[in-house]
Amino acid sequence: MFDDDINDLYQELILDHNAHPHNYGELKCANHQARGHNPLCGDDVEIFLLIKNDCIEDIRFTGQGCAISKSSASMMTDELKGKSLAEVQAIFHIFHELLTAEDSSKLDINALGKASVFSGVKQFPMRVKCATLAWHTLIAALNDKNNAVTTE
Amino acid sequence: MKDIRSEFTALSQLIYGKPLVYLDNAATSQKPKSVIDAMRCFYEEHCANVHRGVHRLSELATVHFEKAREKVKNFINASSVQEIIFTKGTTDGINLVASTYGRQNICAGDEIIVSQMEHHSNIVPWQMLAQEKGAILRVAPIDDEGAFLFDAFSALLNAKTKIVAITHVSNALGTVTPLKKIIEASHACGAVVVVDGAQAVPHCAVDVTNLDCDFYAFSAHKMYGPTGTGVLYGKKKWLESMPPYQGGGDMIASVTFEKTTYAKPPAKFEAGTPNIAGVIGLGAAIDFMQRVGVQNIAFVENDLLQYASIAVEAVPGLRKIGTAKHKASVLSFVLKHVHPHDISSLLDRQGVAIRAGHLCAQPVMQRFQVPALCRASFAVYNTKEEVDVLVKALIKVSEVF
């Protein structure tokens, strides 16, 4: 329908998570949370974490935004639930490098699980911030940063 | 129309292998060769600073620079070149008024009225001024079509209203405001009117004398001219009594360490070396618009807007935002279940450039309860075939999601 690279961006998996996001909604028992905002496009996400024994026991999100930001938040919550904080930091690093580093060929993208689908976003520099917003917000939640994260 | 298109080199390029369909003219228009040539000619042949050198090149540069001021004066029918101040753009012009006239005349408890469909550049400077002075910002509402509600606006006017800051054409909705009526009513209660004309000057004939506005700001780059250059028109009586905007060279009559006296307008408001090439480019852009004919430009764009407004109804799930009776050049919309940024990325790969986002008018997004909008905006070089490409691409987008 569209060219290959745009189909890379809007893959079935991304469209599915956009239409039916996983782990969407507030987490009442959260003990960490943070809000992220992209002032240029208005994408807005709030991440809720329940951390016990240095492990993400539960994670949910709310907010509004484009398909890339919403599906990225959805897949991130899927992948990180049950992971230790050390694993989370490592996975964040890989995701961030995948989208921003010049050479990402040596990254272990298997560690990202489904979220590796976002490798195509690199071809769309204006959209990288959409995919990384939820992840930066996650880190802010872990660090208990009360100021909203902003991509700018 | 083909002839006009051929004057814009940028329009003939391919984007991702597809012919460019440039529908982001409300952000900035493309520039005709004549504008680029005028600027190149300045740099290649008579580049010098203005108003100071006593050598041939400086004289030439000054002549070309001041000729552009004369062109602007005639273009908007001001009564004197002293009323034409060159700025960096519309934002700069509005900030100039807020920091000079505003600071001089606004006191605690005074009221400033803006409309609900202002661009941030006609909200924030007034908010900053109101905060500084303890003044109150009032908002004139719009209806569900995006039309200006004149009666509701009139009801806000009172003896405390000192400034009415209003757009001529909304950048987000395309609504044309009933400016003459607004100005008459504002003057009747003693308020001055500052007009954001950024989206109007490119699309319709503007006559500041007939409008009787106090200030009128616009940008060169939305009317086929270069970026970084704009105009602030101000009534002579205000410009003469206002304090300067910035201090520096060119804006003085004499300087000693004890006392400085200021130059007369417009020099009083043009401290420092201006964007000389930009101003010369603006002059060439006015020549271009007059050669094509401002009425012809308005006719072509209105025709495109009518055509596109009907054509997009073929797109499943599309909702138009901004359907006022009097509109110019702008077609904004949202698609059910698809975020405007996703639409814009998908259209981009079809060669179609539109704007997506809050359009620097977040209160408009709040009014229509949308996170963002898609905006297609037209210029004289656009065609119905391009509208067809847009509609076809939008139908594809609606099928993906």
Side-chain angles (χ1 to χ4, degrees):
Chain A
M1 179 166 307
F2 284 97
D3 297 343
D4 282 350
D5 52 354
I6 196 83
N7 288 333
D8 276 353
L9 182 63
Y10 291 97
Q11 296 186 34
E12 209 59 42
L13 189 61
I14 291 180
L15 295 173
D16 274 354
H17 275 260
N18 174 52
H20 309 287
H22 301 183
N23 306 305
Y24 190 86
E26 277 187 40
L27 181 62
K28 293 267 187 292
C29 57
N31 52 12
H32 294 264
Q33 69 190 74
R35 199 169 156 201
H37 183 60
N38 181 343
L40 290 186
C41 66
D43 285 352
D44 199 36
V45 67
E46 189 152 14
I47 304 285
F48 302 87
L49 296 169
L50 176 63
I51 294 178
K52 276 189 184 163
N53 305 323
D54 280 345
C55 189
I56 294 184
E57 192 160 297
D58 204 357
I59 174 169
R60 295 180 73 76
F61 80 102
T62 60
Q64 57 174 9
C66 62
I68 305 301
S69 76
K70 213 199 272 179
S71 58
S72 177
S74 172
M75 281 183 234
M76 179 188 83
T77 55
D78 269 355
E79 293 308 320
L80 297 185
K81 205 182 285 190
K83 294 278 193 306
S84 75
L85 295 186
E87 286 173 310
V88 168
Q89 290 292 352
I91 294 170
F92 169 80
H93 177 75
I94 295 169
F95 188 80
H96 194 257
E97 290 288 293
L98 177 68
L99 268 70
T100 58
E102 249 173 59
D103 178 17
S104 53
S105 60
K106 290 181 185 131
L107 293 170
D108 172 22
I109 62 167
N110 289 331
L112 295 175
K114 280 183 294 189
S116 65
V117 74
F118 289 99
S119 60
V121 177
K122 209 172 168 181
Q123 310 301 320
F124 299 80
M126 300 297 285
R127 307 303 301 279
V128 167
K129 286 172 182 171
C130 306
T132 54
L133 178 64
W135 290 80
H136 285 293
T137 310
L138 164 87
I139 297 299
L142 288 172
N143 295 330
D144 283 325
K145 285 204 175 142
N146 294 324
N147 296 339
V149 176
T150 157
T151 54
E152 295 309 307
Chain B
M1 199 51 54
K2 237 182 178 169
D3 291 343
I4 291 177
R5 259 187 101 79
S6 68
E7 293 186 43
F8 292 81
T9 314
L11 294 177
S12 58
Q13 67 188 300
L14 300 178
I15 299 289
Y16 304 114
K18 310 260 167 51
L20 168 65
V21 174
Y22 188 77
L23 298 176
D24 194 16
N25 296 287
T28 198
S29 68
Q30 298 298 331
K31 323 303 173 197
K33 279 182 200 155
S34 57
V35 167
I36 298 164
D37 286 346
M39 295 173 74
R40 186 192 297 119
C41 174
F42 165 73
Y43 280 128
E44 286 181 351
E45 292 174 28
H46 43 262
C47 177
N49 213 327
V50 289
H51 301 148
R52 47 197 82 168
V54 192
H55 55 80
R56 179 65 184 149
L57 283 188
S58 179
E59 278 170 12
L60 270 177
T62 307
V63 165
H64 287 285
F65 184 80
E66 290 304 326
K67 217 191 256 173
R69 201 187 302 272
E70 184 80 28
K71 283 179 193 174
V72 173
K73 180 216 130 199
N74 293 333
F75 190 58
I76 61 170
N77 196 31
S79 50
S80 144
V81 285
Q82 282 181 290
E83 297 180 321
I84 306 300
I85 299 164
F86 288 122
T87 63
K88 287 190 286 179
T90 309
T91 302
D92 191 33
I94 295 168
N95 276 281
L96 188 159
V97 181
S99 354
T100 57
Y101 182 90
R103 281 213 177 116
Q104 189 180 44
N105 292 285
I106 292 288
C107 303
D110 284 345
E111 297 182 9
I112 300 166
I113 301 179
V114 298
S115 88
Q116 205 172 8
M117 60 182 153
E118 297 308 313
H119 187 282
H120 295 163
S121 61
N122 205 23
I123 300 173
V124 184
W126 305 114
Q127 236 166 9
M128 289 162 64
L129 176 66
Q131 240 160 35
E132 180 184 317
K133 296 288 185 177
I136 298 153
L137 196 69
R138 301 251 182 247
V139 181
I142 55 175
D143 68 13
D144 290 343
E145 310 270 283
F148 184 79
L149 290 166
F150 182 77
D151 291 342
F153 161 74
S154 297
L156 292 175
L157 285 169
N158 66 70
K160 286 184 181 166
T161 313
K162 292 289 153 61
I163 293 174
V164 173
I166 179 86
T167 190
H168 193 170
V169 172
S170 155
N171 77 305
L173 303 167
T175 308
V176 181
T177 54
L179 205 46
K180 209 165 172 193
K181 268 168 72 180
I182 293 169
I183 292 166
E184 262 175 33
S186 305
H187 284 171
C189 80
V192 301
V193 181
V194 184
V195 183
D196 169 358
Q199 299 293 343
V201 178
H203 308 295
C204 57
V206 171
D207 181 332
V208 292
T209 302
N210 178 264
L211 284 171
D212 198 28
C213 53
D214 299 279
F215 299 96
Y216 194 104
F218 60 99
S219 301
H221 73 98
K222 295 186 198 286
M223 51 180 285
Y224 312 104
T227 56
T229 302
V231 172
L232 174 71
Y233 158 83
K235 276 185 183 166
K236 204 170 155 190
K237 61 173 175 179
W238 302 132
L239 295 181
E240 280 174 346
S241 62
M242 277 154 56
Y245 181 34
Q246 293 176 321
D250 242 16
M251 53 76 72
I252 51 95
S254 77
V255 176
T256 65
F257 283 115
E258 289 70 39
K259 187 176 167 58
T260 292
T261 52
Y262 305 125
K264 290 197 165 72
K268 181 171 149 188
F269 300 101
E270 293 180 353
T273 296
N275 185 347
I276 305 168
V279 165
I280 287 169
L282 166 61
I286 290 174
D287 291 341
F288 167 79
M289 286 184 71
Q290 288 182 324
R291 178 158 52 83
V292 178
V294 178
Q295 300 300 339
N296 291 334
I297 292 173
F299 180 81
V300 167
E301 291 175 353
N302 285 335
D303 195 34
L304 280 170
L305 181 60
Q306 297 302 328
Y307 180 78
S309 301
I310 294 167
V312 292
E313 287 173 5
V315 181
L318 184 138
R319 171 186 163 212
K320 284 180 272 186
I321 305 281
T323 47
K325 211 168 127 205
H326 298 293
K327 281 188 61 173
S329 169
V330 165
L331 177 63
S332 289
F333 55 89
V334 288
L335 271 189
K336 214 173 179 179
H337 306 308
V338 196
H339 192 281
H341 282 108
D342 297 318
I343 297 170
S344 187
S345 274
L346 287 160
L347 292 186
D348 177 43
R349 297 290 156 144
Q350 300 293 295
V352 181
I354 61 157
R355 175 77 197 274
H358 54 57
L359 312 182
C360 295
Q362 285 181 353
V364 172
M365 307 304 117
Q366 290 147 17
R367 171 66 178 78
F368 290 93
Q369 296 183 312
V370 291
L373 284 179
C374 291
R375 177 184 70 189
S377 52
F378 306 102
V380 68
Y381 43 65
N382 288 124
T383 65
K384 289 182 181 170
E385 288 72 27
E386 289 182 304
V387 173
D388 294 340
V389 174
L390 166 73
V391 172
K392 234 171 118 184
L394 283 170
I395 291 173
K396 273 188 183 181
V397 171
S398 73
E399 286 164 356
V400 170
F401 280 81

